[in-house]
Amino acid sequence: MNLAAWCQQMLAGKAIVPLIYHWLTLNGQRSMRGLHMNTLGWFDFKSAWFAPPDP
């Protein structure tokens, strides 16, 4: 069995339950760069920046 199939089987049987905060998404300007998630799964904005607009 490959890893993806095994993970699907574990999720379907509720043997493992992913933590909901890892499913967070951000809506906003697509020009934001340098945005990463920290070890707790929250977005870390300290190194985020906006790319300059195209001329």
Side-chain angles (χ1 to χ4, degrees):
M1 180 182 303
N2 67 19
L3 180 60
W6 181 79
C7 289
Q8 284 294 97
Q9 183 181 353
M10 292 291 111
L11 287 170
K14 296 187 177 22
I16 58 173
V17 178
L19 299 175
I20 189 76
Y21 60 80
H22 285 283
W23 295 338
L24 291 175
T25 59
L26 289 178
N27 294 325
Q29 295 182 9
R30 302 243 186 242
S31 62
M32 185 176 278
R33 303 290 185 259
L35 187 62
H36 301 286
M37 294 182 90
N38 63 19
T39 54
L40 297 175
W42 296 101
F43 290 106
D44 186 4
F45 293 95
K46 69 181 175 196
S47 59
W49 54 281
F50 287 102
D54 292 330

